[in-house]
Amino acid sequence: MNRPKCWVRQVLYRRGGKERIYKLSGVRTKPSKKNPEGVERPGLKKCGHCRKQFTVRVGTVFESSHIPLHKWFQAVHLMCSSKKGISSHQLHRTLEINYEAAWFMSHRIREAMRSGGLLPPMGGGGSIVEIDETFIGNKGKVRKAGTAHKRAVLTLVSRDGEARSFHIDEANQENILPIIRENLAQEAKVITDDAGVYRNLDKEFLHAFINHSAGQYGRGEIHTNTIEGYFSIFKRGMKGVYQHCSEKHLHRYLAEFDFRYSNRVKLGVDDAERTVKALMGIKGKRLTYRQPDSANSRAER
């Protein structure tokens, strides 16, 4: 059975077995060329059950990181306060760490921004939810007319403020309808464009659509301007800041843009509060890459 590091400590801590956790002071790291006497390890503790040392980083996205916590907090603030994101190269220059560390750091922070677990349905109380799909990047296929060579993204944006985005294999009813059913309340008012994939939504929800193919873009409250605004920010960030994203990491970039959009100033959340909310998501989201020689450290510029 695979167990996490010091599983005894974790089980006992959850059960209230904190009486055998000790604070350690004066402990230093091993001597190095840069620090011949080592560096003092603040906040170090020891588990009396398993006899191992640990800090508050254990069980968070910060675990096993050699980067000081003050630089982690600065990176979280920079990612939360930059409307269209901040590249790993910019983080590496600002924080004075190497590029690979900055790349890994930014992905850990995106993981903290991801909403885990079961989310409440959108559109409760009969509020309006706009739904649309967009396409970005390419799947490594030869470019051709249409969107077959691009990666599909489905987004649901509530006019109350929340956004949820999903990377899907193909923009068809088979992939889109289950996501809509899982994330919308029955009483939600749904607005889409006239794409065929939304044709049967009126059988399950109160559904209205805009006929873009006929040059129609607004009819009172029936429009998709809100979601188009979200896509504008998303694409400007992906193309202008990150420039390239591999498919296996796309879900984290979507989480990043969803998080900032759902916690923006218009909803009463300033940069500082947004940073605190992101830090609330660090627990239990350990992210590791066990292929140090692979090309995964060049996912974006």
Side-chain angles (χ1 to χ4, degrees):
M1 181 177 179
N2 294 325
R3 294 190 182 275
K5 283 184 180 179
C6 193
W7 62 273
V8 174
R9 181 180 70 240
Q10 293 183 19
V11 171
L12 290 171
Y13 194 89
R14 285 196 296 269
R15 293 178 180 175
K18 306 175 186 178
E19 69 283 351
R20 294 191 64 189
I21 293 178
Y22 314 107
K23 291 183 178 180
L24 300 178
S25 59
V27 179
R28 307 182 77 85
T29 61
K30 293 180 180 179
S32 63
K33 188 175 181 180
K34 184 178 180 181
N35 300 290
E37 296 181 1
V39 179
E40 188 170 350
R41 299 179 64 191
L44 189 64
K45 297 183 180 181
K46 187 174 183 178
C47 175
H49 301 282
C50 69
R51 314 301 296 173
K52 291 184 179 180
Q53 297 175 353
F54 68 99
T55 67
V56 291
R57 297 184 186 214
V58 172
T60 72
V61 295
F62 302 155
E63 185 173 341
S64 297
S65 172
H66 298 288
I67 299 170
L69 272 179
H70 73 273
K71 291 194 175 185
W72 269 106
F73 295 150
Q74 187 178 356
V76 175
H77 178 76
L78 287 170
M79 289 189 67
C80 288
S81 59
S82 304
K83 188 173 183 178
K84 300 176 184 70
I86 181 170
S87 70
S88 297
H89 267 301
Q90 186 62 47
L91 280 179
H92 123 77
R93 288 190 293 267
T94 303
L95 302 180
E96 298 181 336
I97 58 178
N98 64 41
Y99 169 74
E100 287 73 16
W103 180 88
F104 195 13
M105 172 185 273
S106 61
H107 273 289
R108 287 182 174 186
I109 295 170
R110 289 185 190 102
E111 187 67 16
M113 291 176 174
R114 283 216 302 157
S115 300
L118 210 58
L119 297 173
M122 302 171 72
S127 60
I128 295 175
V129 179
E130 297 178 22
I131 303 175
D132 201 0
E133 73 283 349
T134 192
F135 303 87
I136 191 165
N138 65 74
K139 301 177 180 177
K141 297 180 179 180
V142 178
R143 287 183 175 273
K144 51 187 174 181
T147 57
H149 64 285
K150 289 182 171 287
R151 300 170 193 148
V153 172
L154 176 72
T155 298
L156 292 70
V157 174
S158 168
R159 290 192 186 167
D160 292 338
E162 184 184 4
R164 295 182 194 174
S165 300
F166 306 86
H167 172 37
I168 54 179
D169 293 332
E170 188 179 343
N172 55 28
Q173 287 189 341
E174 184 180 358
N175 292 323
I176 288 177
L177 292 183
I179 293 174
I180 293 175
R181 293 187 188 108
E182 188 176 341
N183 286 275
L184 289 190
Q186 280 299 151
E187 65 271 22
K189 297 177 182 176
V190 182
I191 298 178
T192 69
D193 58 21
D194 56 329
V197 293
Y198 307 116
R199 193 167 295 149
N200 297 321
L201 278 182
D202 56 354
K203 296 179 181 178
E204 302 180 53
F205 303 96
L206 184 59
H207 177 219
F209 66 89
I210 289 294
N211 194 347
H212 284 170
S213 56
Q216 186 183 73
Y217 291 93
R219 194 172 68 251
E221 67 173 11
I222 312 300
H223 61 78
T224 56
N225 296 342
T226 312
I227 198 166
E228 294 295 346
Y230 172 88
F231 284 149
S232 174
I233 297 170
F234 170 64
K235 288 195 172 183
R236 284 172 187 266
M238 293 302 292
K239 293 179 180 179
V241 177
Y242 297 127
Q243 298 182 29
H244 171 72
C245 164
S246 64
E247 189 164 11
K248 67 179 178 180
H249 298 304
L250 180 56
H251 65 291
R252 290 197 190 93
Y253 286 91
L254 292 172
E256 176 189 352
F257 283 90
D258 283 353
F259 176 82
R260 279 197 300 264
Y261 186 87
S262 301
N263 296 281
R264 59 193 189 278
V265 173
K266 187 178 180 181
L267 301 176
V269 184
D270 61 18
D271 291 346
E273 291 177 279
R274 197 177 308 115
T275 301
V276 171
K277 285 193 172 189
L279 288 170
M280 295 294 287
I282 65 172
K283 184 179 178 183
K285 292 183 179 177
R286 181 80 192 281
L287 182 63
T288 60
Y289 286 100
R290 301 193 180 278
Q291 299 175 354
D293 298 325
S294 69
N296 64 16
S297 65
R298 298 292 172 185
E300 50 94 354
R301 296 289 185 270

